Amino acid sequence: MPIPVRPKVPVVAYQKPTVPVPEDWQRTYVSIRGANGQGEEIPLTGIENGAWPTIVLQPGVSGLDLPPFELHTDDSPNLDGSMYRGTRASARQILLPVFVYGIDRKTLRQFKRKLANALNPKGGYCVLTFMEQDGVPRRLQCYYAGGMEGNESPDAAGFKWITYGIQLVAADPWFYGDLEVAANWSFGSSQQFLKNPFFPVKLGAGTAASDTLRITNPGDIEAWPVWTFTGPLKSFELTGPDGTKFGIPAQAGGADALQTGRTLTIDTRPGYKTVLDDRGVNYFPLMNPGPSLWSLPAGTSTVNTTLVAGSGTPTVNMKLIPRYATY
């Protein structure tokens, strides 16, 4: 009869699992500032230095992580489901439940008026600021939509206190930091862009050169750069990571497209999309047909450049403001 044989199981020494040690982390600091971010800063996270009256952010805050998205799809009469076409982020809806307390009735009324004036959208947008223990702020531009109409019911207000559910709308749903990434590019000298080489293009007068730039966007989503060119330049063309391009071709008669000492700023940001020199002259009609003022995706990407200098040393400056999905 067959003899049953069991497989030999290797003996593995028991290893005690590594237990992560939690890091002590302070509470998030939150504040709001009205008048297009130029008004007085009002902290929302507790009593600051014993100041009265005070406003305290309550549990139940919503709308501070990913914004809502619209999905665009096409239906086919002969196929199941839909075909994905694209997506866009919608305006962000935010709810801030707050508790307002005054040391007496007078201070409560004064503070309510100050808060109302800060939130009033007729005075501009307000800026929500979030800061963790690492000290890196994230800011969101919002407009007041409702929630401070007032409710004097016994569970919503008292003689020295009141609660609100402040509703805000962030038309631009992305968070911004205080960091502006910038690079200076002088033909013939190397600069640094976030510790990645912003490669130089060495040019002689009236000669063409091309190069590939590796550029890092430290944000979570695409960012829209602002380019500044200083003449003399006969022509230039920049090709973005998606293959689209913009530039100004050579002019008739060989004249400089951008003369010595003149500055041309190309603002690719949505809502701007301008090509203006330092005197306000519009250079958009001089650009290549069908220009695309492209953005830079998150992470490291490449930009291809082709430039023809005039008789001099032109320079290029680029800056962008990273955008973040959450604070």
Side-chain angles (χ1 to χ4, degrees), residues 47 50-56 98-113 115 157-164:
I47 301 174
W52 298 91
T54 189
I55 179 171
V56 181
V98 296
F99 177 85
V100 182
Y101 185 82
I103 194 171
D104 53 29
R105 182 68 176 176
K106 180 180 178 181
T107 58
L108 175 64
R109 293 178 65 239
Q110 291 174 341
F111 187 79
K112 286 198 301 182
R113 183 174 293 109
L115 181 62
F159 190 69
K160 297 187 294 184
W161 63 274
I162 192 168
T163 60
Y164 297 119

PDB file of all heavy atoms in Angstrom, residues 47 50-56 98-113 115 157-164:
ATOM      1  N   ILE A  47      -9.369  79.716  21.014  1.00  0.00           N
ATOM      2  CA  ILE A  47      -9.026  80.995  21.617  1.00  0.00           C
ATOM      3  C   ILE A  47      -7.545  81.261  21.433  1.00  0.00           C
ATOM      4  O   ILE A  47      -6.703  80.439  21.772  1.00  0.00           O
ATOM      5  CB  ILE A  47      -9.396  81.006  23.116  1.00  0.00           C
ATOM      6  CG1 ILE A  47     -10.905  80.744  23.284  1.00  0.00           C
ATOM      7  CG2 ILE A  47      -9.005  82.320  23.763  1.00  0.00           C
ATOM      8  CD1 ILE A  47     -11.327  80.592  24.719  1.00  0.00           C
ATOM      9  N   GLY A  50      -6.085  84.038  24.795  1.00  0.00           N
ATOM     10  CA  GLY A  50      -7.129  84.490  25.691  1.00  0.00           C
ATOM     11  C   GLY A  50      -7.955  85.623  25.144  1.00  0.00           C
ATOM     12  O   GLY A  50      -8.652  86.303  25.899  1.00  0.00           O
ATOM     13  N   ALA A  51      -7.915  85.863  23.822  1.00  0.00           N
ATOM     14  CA  ALA A  51      -8.648  86.991  23.243  1.00  0.00           C
ATOM     15  C   ALA A  51     -10.144  86.691  23.235  1.00  0.00           C
ATOM     16  O   ALA A  51     -10.573  85.564  22.995  1.00  0.00           O
ATOM     17  CB  ALA A  51      -8.154  87.255  21.819  1.00  0.00           C
ATOM     18  N   TRP A  52     -10.930  87.717  23.479  1.00  0.00           N
ATOM     19  CA  TRP A  52     -12.383  87.606  23.440  1.00  0.00           C
ATOM     20  C   TRP A  52     -12.928  88.712  22.540  1.00  0.00           C
ATOM     21  O   TRP A  52     -12.399  89.809  22.531  1.00  0.00           O
ATOM     22  CB  TRP A  52     -12.978  87.745  24.847  1.00  0.00           C
ATOM     23  CG  TRP A  52     -12.537  86.674  25.775  1.00  0.00           C
ATOM     24  CD1 TRP A  52     -11.455  86.708  26.592  1.00  0.00           C
ATOM     25  CD2 TRP A  52     -13.146  85.399  25.971  1.00  0.00           C
ATOM     26  NE1 TRP A  52     -11.334  85.542  27.296  1.00  0.00           N
ATOM     27  CE2 TRP A  52     -12.374  84.718  26.937  1.00  0.00           C
ATOM     28  CE3 TRP A  52     -14.271  84.770  25.431  1.00  0.00           C
ATOM     29  CZ2 TRP A  52     -12.692  83.437  27.364  1.00  0.00           C
ATOM     30  CZ3 TRP A  52     -14.578  83.498  25.867  1.00  0.00           C
ATOM     31  CH2 TRP A  52     -13.791  82.842  26.822  1.00  0.00           C
ATOM     32  N   PRO A  53     -13.989  88.466  21.816  1.00  0.00           N
ATOM     33  CA  PRO A  53     -14.705  87.190  21.678  1.00  0.00           C
ATOM     34  C   PRO A  53     -13.908  86.210  20.826  1.00  0.00           C
ATOM     35  O   PRO A  53     -12.850  86.565  20.303  1.00  0.00           O
ATOM     36  CB  PRO A  53     -15.995  87.605  20.984  1.00  0.00           C
ATOM     37  CG  PRO A  53     -15.581  88.772  20.148  1.00  0.00           C
ATOM     38  CD  PRO A  53     -14.538  89.514  20.952  1.00  0.00           C
ATOM     39  N   THR A  54     -14.433  85.014  20.687  1.00  0.00           N
ATOM     40  CA  THR A  54     -13.715  83.997  19.931  1.00  0.00           C
ATOM     41  C   THR A  54     -14.673  83.225  19.046  1.00  0.00           C
ATOM     42  O   THR A  54     -15.884  83.206  19.281  1.00  0.00           O
ATOM     43  CB  THR A  54     -12.990  83.039  20.885  1.00  0.00           C
ATOM     44  OG1 THR A  54     -12.126  82.196  20.130  1.00  0.00           O
ATOM     45  CG2 THR A  54     -13.986  82.167  21.644  1.00  0.00           C
ATOM     46  N   ILE A  55     -14.122  82.598  18.014  1.00  0.00           N
ATOM     47  CA  ILE A  55     -14.880  81.755  17.105  1.00  0.00           C
ATOM     48  C   ILE A  55     -14.149  80.430  17.012  1.00  0.00           C
ATOM     49  O   ILE A  55     -12.931  80.394  16.857  1.00  0.00           O
ATOM     50  CB  ILE A  55     -15.043  82.422  15.720  1.00  0.00           C
ATOM     51  CG1 ILE A  55     -15.830  81.519  14.774  1.00  0.00           C
ATOM     52  CG2 ILE A  55     -13.711  82.817  15.122  1.00  0.00           C
ATOM     53  CD1 ILE A  55     -16.205  82.215  13.472  1.00  0.00           C
ATOM     54  N   VAL A  56     -14.880  79.327  17.156  1.00  0.00           N
ATOM     55  CA  VAL A  56     -14.284  77.999  17.208  1.00  0.00           C
ATOM     56  C   VAL A  56     -14.928  77.140  16.127  1.00  0.00           C
ATOM     57  O   VAL A  56     -16.158  77.046  16.045  1.00  0.00           O
ATOM     58  CB  VAL A  56     -14.471  77.348  18.588  1.00  0.00           C
ATOM     59  CG1 VAL A  56     -13.820  75.969  18.617  1.00  0.00           C
ATOM     60  CG2 VAL A  56     -13.887  78.239  19.678  1.00  0.00           C
ATOM     61  N   VAL A  98     -19.442  76.767  12.930  1.00  0.00           N
ATOM     62  CA  VAL A  98     -18.642  77.543  13.886  1.00  0.00           C
ATOM     63  C   VAL A  98     -19.486  77.907  15.103  1.00  0.00           C
ATOM     64  O   VAL A  98     -20.714  78.022  15.029  1.00  0.00           O
ATOM     65  CB  VAL A  98     -18.060  78.821  13.239  1.00  0.00           C
ATOM     66  CG1 VAL A  98     -17.090  78.481  12.123  1.00  0.00           C
ATOM     67  CG2 VAL A  98     -19.169  79.729  12.728  1.00  0.00           C
ATOM     68  N   PHE A  99     -18.800  78.090  16.217  1.00  0.00           N
ATOM     69  CA  PHE A  99     -19.398  78.534  17.476  1.00  0.00           C
ATOM     70  C   PHE A  99     -18.752  79.864  17.845  1.00  0.00           C
ATOM     71  O   PHE A  99     -17.532  79.953  17.961  1.00  0.00           O
ATOM     72  CB  PHE A  99     -19.144  77.491  18.568  1.00  0.00           C
ATOM     73  CG  PHE A  99     -19.660  77.883  19.919  1.00  0.00           C
ATOM     74  CD1 PHE A  99     -20.972  77.645  20.280  1.00  0.00           C
ATOM     75  CD2 PHE A  99     -18.822  78.491  20.843  1.00  0.00           C
ATOM     76  CE1 PHE A  99     -21.448  77.996  21.539  1.00  0.00           C
ATOM     77  CE2 PHE A  99     -19.275  78.848  22.106  1.00  0.00           C
ATOM     78  CZ  PHE A  99     -20.602  78.595  22.446  1.00  0.00           C
ATOM     79  N   VAL A 100     -19.569  80.895  17.973  1.00  0.00           N
ATOM     80  CA  VAL A 100     -19.089  82.240  18.292  1.00  0.00           C
ATOM     81  C   VAL A 100     -19.475  82.571  19.730  1.00  0.00           C
ATOM     82  O   VAL A 100     -20.646  82.428  20.104  1.00  0.00           O
ATOM     83  CB  VAL A 100     -19.671  83.286  17.317  1.00  0.00           C
ATOM     84  CG1 VAL A 100     -19.117  84.674  17.636  1.00  0.00           C
ATOM     85  CG2 VAL A 100     -19.378  82.908  15.883  1.00  0.00           C
ATOM     86  N   TYR A 101     -18.487  83.003  20.518  1.00  0.00           N
ATOM     87  CA  TYR A 101     -18.736  83.288  21.921  1.00  0.00           C
ATOM     88  C   TYR A 101     -18.144  84.643  22.279  1.00  0.00           C
ATOM     89  O   TYR A 101     -17.009  84.958  21.916  1.00  0.00           O
ATOM     90  CB  TYR A 101     -18.123  82.200  22.815  1.00  0.00           C
ATOM     91  CG  TYR A 101     -18.449  82.367  24.273  1.00  0.00           C
ATOM     92  CD1 TYR A 101     -19.661  81.910  24.778  1.00  0.00           C
ATOM     93  CD2 TYR A 101     -17.558  82.973  25.150  1.00  0.00           C
ATOM     94  CE1 TYR A 101     -19.976  82.061  26.112  1.00  0.00           C
ATOM     95  CE2 TYR A 101     -17.851  83.126  26.479  1.00  0.00           C
ATOM     96  CZ  TYR A 101     -19.075  82.669  26.960  1.00  0.00           C
ATOM     97  OH  TYR A 101     -19.385  82.831  28.293  1.00  0.00           O
ATOM     98  N   GLY A 102     -18.918  85.443  22.991  1.00  0.00           N
ATOM     99  CA  GLY A 102     -18.455  86.738  23.467  1.00  0.00           C
ATOM    100  C   GLY A 102     -18.451  86.786  24.977  1.00  0.00           C
ATOM    101  O   GLY A 102     -19.256  86.120  25.636  1.00  0.00           O
ATOM    102  N   ILE A 103     -17.553  87.576  25.550  1.00  0.00           N
ATOM    103  CA  ILE A 103     -17.507  87.683  27.011  1.00  0.00           C
ATOM    104  C   ILE A 103     -18.750  88.391  27.552  1.00  0.00           C
ATOM    105  O   ILE A 103     -19.143  88.214  28.696  1.00  0.00           O
ATOM    106  CB  ILE A 103     -16.214  88.404  27.451  1.00  0.00           C
ATOM    107  CG1 ILE A 103     -15.992  88.216  28.939  1.00  0.00           C
ATOM    108  CG2 ILE A 103     -16.235  89.876  27.052  1.00  0.00           C
ATOM    109  CD1 ILE A 103     -14.639  88.705  29.409  1.00  0.00           C
ATOM    110  N   ASP A 104     -19.394  89.179  26.701  1.00  0.00           N
ATOM    111  CA  ASP A 104     -20.671  89.796  27.040  1.00  0.00           C
ATOM    112  C   ASP A 104     -21.432  90.031  25.737  1.00  0.00           C
ATOM    113  O   ASP A 104     -20.957  89.722  24.646  1.00  0.00           O
ATOM    114  CB  ASP A 104     -20.481  91.098  27.827  1.00  0.00           C
ATOM    115  CG  ASP A 104     -19.548  92.081  27.138  1.00  0.00           C
ATOM    116  OD1 ASP A 104     -19.472  92.064  25.889  1.00  0.00           O
ATOM    117  OD2 ASP A 104     -18.881  92.863  27.839  1.00  0.00           O
ATOM    118  N   ARG A 105     -22.615  90.566  25.847  1.00  0.00           N
ATOM    119  CA  ARG A 105     -23.467  90.780  24.667  1.00  0.00           C
ATOM    120  C   ARG A 105     -22.843  91.781  23.699  1.00  0.00           C
ATOM    121  O   ARG A 105     -22.916  91.612  22.471  1.00  0.00           O
ATOM    122  CB  ARG A 105     -24.841  91.282  25.128  1.00  0.00           C
ATOM    123  CG  ARG A 105     -25.846  91.510  24.003  1.00  0.00           C
ATOM    124  CD  ARG A 105     -26.248  90.210  23.366  1.00  0.00           C
ATOM    125  NE  ARG A 105     -27.275  90.400  22.350  1.00  0.00           N
ATOM    126  CZ  ARG A 105     -27.762  89.434  21.588  1.00  0.00           C
ATOM    127  NH1 ARG A 105     -27.304  88.196  21.737  1.00  0.00           N
ATOM    128  NH2 ARG A 105     -28.697  89.676  20.699  1.00  0.00           N
ATOM    129  N   LYS A 106     -22.203  92.810  24.221  1.00  0.00           N
ATOM    130  CA  LYS A 106     -21.611  93.846  23.372  1.00  0.00           C
ATOM    131  C   LYS A 106     -20.498  93.274  22.501  1.00  0.00           C
ATOM    132  O   LYS A 106     -20.441  93.532  21.295  1.00  0.00           O
ATOM    133  CB  LYS A 106     -21.073  94.974  24.251  1.00  0.00           C
ATOM    134  CG  LYS A 106     -20.427  96.099  23.455  1.00  0.00           C
ATOM    135  CD  LYS A 106     -19.904  97.186  24.389  1.00  0.00           C
ATOM    136  CE  LYS A 106     -19.210  98.283  23.604  1.00  0.00           C
ATOM    137  NZ  LYS A 106     -18.675  99.340  24.503  1.00  0.00           N
ATOM    138  N   THR A 107     -19.598  92.495  23.103  1.00  0.00           N
ATOM    139  CA  THR A 107     -18.499  91.939  22.313  1.00  0.00           C
ATOM    140  C   THR A 107     -19.018  90.951  21.272  1.00  0.00           C
ATOM    141  O   THR A 107     -18.467  90.853  20.175  1.00  0.00           O
ATOM    142  CB  THR A 107     -17.473  91.244  23.217  1.00  0.00           C
ATOM    143  OG1 THR A 107     -18.121  90.213  23.972  1.00  0.00           O
ATOM    144  CG2 THR A 107     -16.814  92.238  24.147  1.00  0.00           C
ATOM    145  N   LEU A 108     -20.069  90.208  21.596  1.00  0.00           N
ATOM    146  CA  LEU A 108     -20.644  89.280  20.619  1.00  0.00           C
ATOM    147  C   LEU A 108     -21.182  90.034  19.410  1.00  0.00           C
ATOM    148  O   LEU A 108     -20.923  89.656  18.260  1.00  0.00           O
ATOM    149  CB  LEU A 108     -21.756  88.457  21.274  1.00  0.00           C
ATOM    150  CG  LEU A 108     -22.527  87.529  20.319  1.00  0.00           C
ATOM    151  CD1 LEU A 108     -21.616  86.458  19.755  1.00  0.00           C
ATOM    152  CD2 LEU A 108     -23.732  86.907  21.034  1.00  0.00           C
ATOM    153  N   ARG A 109     -21.912  91.111  19.647  1.00  0.00           N
ATOM    154  CA  ARG A 109     -22.483  91.885  18.541  1.00  0.00           C
ATOM    155  C   ARG A 109     -21.377  92.516  17.683  1.00  0.00           C
ATOM    156  O   ARG A 109     -21.458  92.540  16.454  1.00  0.00           O
ATOM    157  CB  ARG A 109     -23.419  92.962  19.082  1.00  0.00           C
ATOM    158  CG  ARG A 109     -24.669  92.397  19.745  1.00  0.00           C
ATOM    159  CD  ARG A 109     -25.561  93.491  20.311  1.00  0.00           C
ATOM    160  NE  ARG A 109     -26.083  94.327  19.256  1.00  0.00           N
ATOM    161  CZ  ARG A 109     -25.885  95.639  19.171  1.00  0.00           C
ATOM    162  NH1 ARG A 109     -25.151  96.261  20.085  1.00  0.00           N
ATOM    163  NH2 ARG A 109     -26.422  96.333  18.183  1.00  0.00           N
ATOM    164  N   GLN A 110     -20.327  93.024  18.324  1.00  0.00           N
ATOM    165  CA  GLN A 110     -19.222  93.615  17.568  1.00  0.00           C
ATOM    166  C   GLN A 110     -18.512  92.571  16.709  1.00  0.00           C
ATOM    167  O   GLN A 110     -18.164  92.826  15.552  1.00  0.00           O
ATOM    168  CB  GLN A 110     -18.230  94.264  18.542  1.00  0.00           C
ATOM    169  CG  GLN A 110     -18.761  95.505  19.227  1.00  0.00           C
ATOM    170  CD  GLN A 110     -17.802  96.029  20.292  1.00  0.00           C
ATOM    171  OE1 GLN A 110     -16.924  95.310  20.775  1.00  0.00           O
ATOM    172  NE2 GLN A 110     -17.974  97.290  20.671  1.00  0.00           N
ATOM    173  N   PHE A 111     -18.331  91.381  17.273  1.00  0.00           N
ATOM    174  CA  PHE A 111     -17.629  90.345  16.517  1.00  0.00           C
ATOM    175  C   PHE A 111     -18.482  89.831  15.365  1.00  0.00           C
ATOM    176  O   PHE A 111     -17.964  89.550  14.280  1.00  0.00           O
ATOM    177  CB  PHE A 111     -17.229  89.197  17.440  1.00  0.00           C
ATOM    178  CG  PHE A 111     -16.363  88.181  16.768  1.00  0.00           C
ATOM    179  CD1 PHE A 111     -15.012  88.411  16.576  1.00  0.00           C
ATOM    180  CD2 PHE A 111     -16.898  86.995  16.288  1.00  0.00           C
ATOM    181  CE1 PHE A 111     -14.215  87.492  15.940  1.00  0.00           C
ATOM    182  CE2 PHE A 111     -16.104  86.059  15.654  1.00  0.00           C
ATOM    183  CZ  PHE A 111     -14.756  86.310  15.475  1.00  0.00           C
ATOM    184  N   LYS A 112     -19.772  89.689  15.579  1.00  0.00           N
ATOM    185  CA  LYS A 112     -20.647  89.253  14.497  1.00  0.00           C
ATOM    186  C   LYS A 112     -20.577  90.228  13.326  1.00  0.00           C
ATOM    187  O   LYS A 112     -20.560  89.816  12.161  1.00  0.00           O
ATOM    188  CB  LYS A 112     -22.091  89.125  14.987  1.00  0.00           C
ATOM    189  CG  LYS A 112     -22.357  87.928  15.862  1.00  0.00           C
ATOM    190  CD  LYS A 112     -23.845  87.609  15.937  1.00  0.00           C
ATOM    191  CE  LYS A 112     -24.673  88.745  16.485  1.00  0.00           C
ATOM    192  NZ  LYS A 112     -26.103  88.368  16.582  1.00  0.00           N
ATOM    193  N   ARG A 113     -20.516  91.506  13.625  1.00  0.00           N
ATOM    194  CA  ARG A 113     -20.424  92.511  12.554  1.00  0.00           C
ATOM    195  C   ARG A 113     -19.086  92.390  11.817  1.00  0.00           C
ATOM    196  O   ARG A 113     -19.032  92.472  10.585  1.00  0.00           O
ATOM    197  CB  ARG A 113     -20.590  93.912  13.142  1.00  0.00           C
ATOM    198  CG  ARG A 113     -20.590  95.028  12.087  1.00  0.00           C
ATOM    199  CD  ARG A 113     -20.910  96.382  12.699  1.00  0.00           C
ATOM    200  NE  ARG A 113     -22.276  96.427  13.178  1.00  0.00           N
ATOM    201  CZ  ARG A 113     -22.635  96.437  14.465  1.00  0.00           C
ATOM    202  NH1 ARG A 113     -21.701  96.385  15.414  1.00  0.00           N
ATOM    203  NH2 ARG A 113     -23.898  96.471  14.816  1.00  0.00           N
ATOM    204  N   LEU A 115     -17.222  89.680  11.511  1.00  0.00           N
ATOM    205  CA  LEU A 115     -17.247  88.454  10.727  1.00  0.00           C
ATOM    206  C   LEU A 115     -18.111  88.620   9.479  1.00  0.00           C
ATOM    207  O   LEU A 115     -17.738  88.174   8.388  1.00  0.00           O
ATOM    208  CB  LEU A 115     -17.764  87.304  11.590  1.00  0.00           C
ATOM    209  CG  LEU A 115     -17.824  85.928  10.930  1.00  0.00           C
ATOM    210  CD1 LEU A 115     -16.435  85.477  10.510  1.00  0.00           C
ATOM    211  CD2 LEU A 115     -18.457  84.902  11.881  1.00  0.00           C
ATOM    212  N   ALA A 157     -28.555  79.666  19.574  1.00  0.00           N
ATOM    213  CA  ALA A 157     -28.029  80.963  19.997  1.00  0.00           C
ATOM    214  C   ALA A 157     -28.407  81.226  21.446  1.00  0.00           C
ATOM    215  O   ALA A 157     -29.365  80.655  21.982  1.00  0.00           O
ATOM    216  CB  ALA A 157     -28.556  82.087  19.099  1.00  0.00           C
ATOM    217  N   GLY A 158     -27.616  82.090  22.075  1.00  0.00           N
ATOM    218  CA  GLY A 158     -27.885  82.531  23.432  1.00  0.00           C
ATOM    219  C   GLY A 158     -27.562  84.008  23.552  1.00  0.00           C
ATOM    220  O   GLY A 158     -27.304  84.691  22.557  1.00  0.00           O
ATOM    221  N   PHE A 159     -27.549  84.505  24.784  1.00  0.00           N
ATOM    222  CA  PHE A 159     -27.316  85.932  24.986  1.00  0.00           C
ATOM    223  C   PHE A 159     -25.882  86.326  24.631  1.00  0.00           C
ATOM    224  O   PHE A 159     -25.641  87.431  24.146  1.00  0.00           O
ATOM    225  CB  PHE A 159     -27.600  86.284  26.458  1.00  0.00           C
ATOM    226  CG  PHE A 159     -27.616  87.760  26.718  1.00  0.00           C
ATOM    227  CD1 PHE A 159     -28.625  88.568  26.209  1.00  0.00           C
ATOM    228  CD2 PHE A 159     -26.617  88.358  27.483  1.00  0.00           C
ATOM    229  CE1 PHE A 159     -28.645  89.935  26.450  1.00  0.00           C
ATOM    230  CE2 PHE A 159     -26.626  89.722  27.727  1.00  0.00           C
ATOM    231  CZ  PHE A 159     -27.648  90.514  27.206  1.00  0.00           C
ATOM    232  N   LYS A 160     -24.918  85.404  24.838  1.00  0.00           N
ATOM    233  CA  LYS A 160     -23.506  85.704  24.560  1.00  0.00           C
ATOM    234  C   LYS A 160     -22.878  84.756  23.541  1.00  0.00           C
ATOM    235  O   LYS A 160     -21.668  84.780  23.371  1.00  0.00           O
ATOM    236  CB  LYS A 160     -22.695  85.660  25.865  1.00  0.00           C
ATOM    237  CG  LYS A 160     -23.119  86.694  26.888  1.00  0.00           C
ATOM    238  CD  LYS A 160     -22.184  86.721  28.087  1.00  0.00           C
ATOM    239  CE  LYS A 160     -22.276  85.421  28.881  1.00  0.00           C
ATOM    240  NZ  LYS A 160     -21.442  85.475  30.115  1.00  0.00           N
ATOM    241  N   TRP A 161     -23.681  83.960  22.875  1.00  0.00           N
ATOM    242  CA  TRP A 161     -23.119  83.017  21.911  1.00  0.00           C
ATOM    243  C   TRP A 161     -24.106  82.768  20.774  1.00  0.00           C
ATOM    244  O   TRP A 161     -25.303  83.031  20.902  1.00  0.00           O
ATOM    245  CB  TRP A 161     -22.764  81.695  22.593  1.00  0.00           C
ATOM    246  CG  TRP A 161     -23.956  80.960  23.173  1.00  0.00           C
ATOM    247  CD1 TRP A 161     -24.510  81.144  24.403  1.00  0.00           C
ATOM    248  CD2 TRP A 161     -24.739  79.962  22.507  1.00  0.00           C
ATOM    249  NE1 TRP A 161     -25.589  80.320  24.581  1.00  0.00           N
ATOM    250  CE2 TRP A 161     -25.754  79.572  23.427  1.00  0.00           C
ATOM    251  CE3 TRP A 161     -24.695  79.356  21.268  1.00  0.00           C
ATOM    252  CZ2 TRP A 161     -26.705  78.611  23.133  1.00  0.00           C
ATOM    253  CZ3 TRP A 161     -25.647  78.392  20.960  1.00  0.00           C
ATOM    254  CH2 TRP A 161     -26.636  78.018  21.873  1.00  0.00           C
ATOM    255  N   ILE A 162     -23.571  82.231  19.680  1.00  0.00           N
ATOM    256  CA  ILE A 162     -24.402  81.872  18.534  1.00  0.00           C
ATOM    257  C   ILE A 162     -23.625  80.884  17.667  1.00  0.00           C
ATOM    258  O   ILE A 162     -22.378  80.857  17.698  1.00  0.00           O
ATOM    259  CB  ILE A 162     -24.803  83.119  17.708  1.00  0.00           C
ATOM    260  CG1 ILE A 162     -25.909  82.771  16.709  1.00  0.00           C
ATOM    261  CG2 ILE A 162     -23.595  83.722  16.993  1.00  0.00           C
ATOM    262  CD1 ILE A 162     -26.550  83.998  16.073  1.00  0.00           C
ATOM    263  N   THR A 163     -24.326  80.038  16.938  1.00  0.00           N
ATOM    264  CA  THR A 163     -23.703  79.080  16.023  1.00  0.00           C
ATOM    265  C   THR A 163     -24.124  79.392  14.599  1.00  0.00           C
ATOM    266  O   THR A 163     -25.234  79.859  14.341  1.00  0.00           O
ATOM    267  CB  THR A 163     -24.104  77.633  16.369  1.00  0.00           C
ATOM    268  OG1 THR A 163     -25.527  77.498  16.270  1.00  0.00           O
ATOM    269  CG2 THR A 163     -23.639  77.264  17.765  1.00  0.00           C
ATOM    270  N   TYR A 164     -23.212  79.126  13.678  1.00  0.00           N
ATOM    271  CA  TYR A 164     -23.475  79.304  12.250  1.00  0.00           C
ATOM    272  C   TYR A 164     -22.972  78.078  11.485  1.00  0.00           C
ATOM    273  O   TYR A 164     -22.019  77.406  11.907  1.00  0.00           O
ATOM    274  CB  TYR A 164     -22.752  80.537  11.688  1.00  0.00           C
ATOM    275  CG  TYR A 164     -23.173  81.854  12.267  1.00  0.00           C
ATOM    276  CD1 TYR A 164     -22.251  82.666  12.942  1.00  0.00           C
ATOM    277  CD2 TYR A 164     -24.473  82.324  12.130  1.00  0.00           C
ATOM    278  CE1 TYR A 164     -22.624  83.893  13.458  1.00  0.00           C
ATOM    279  CE2 TYR A 164     -24.859  83.551  12.653  1.00  0.00           C
ATOM    280  CZ  TYR A 164     -23.923  84.325  13.314  1.00  0.00           C
ATOM    281  OH  TYR A 164     -24.300  85.543  13.830  1.00  0.00           O
TER     282      TYR A 164
END
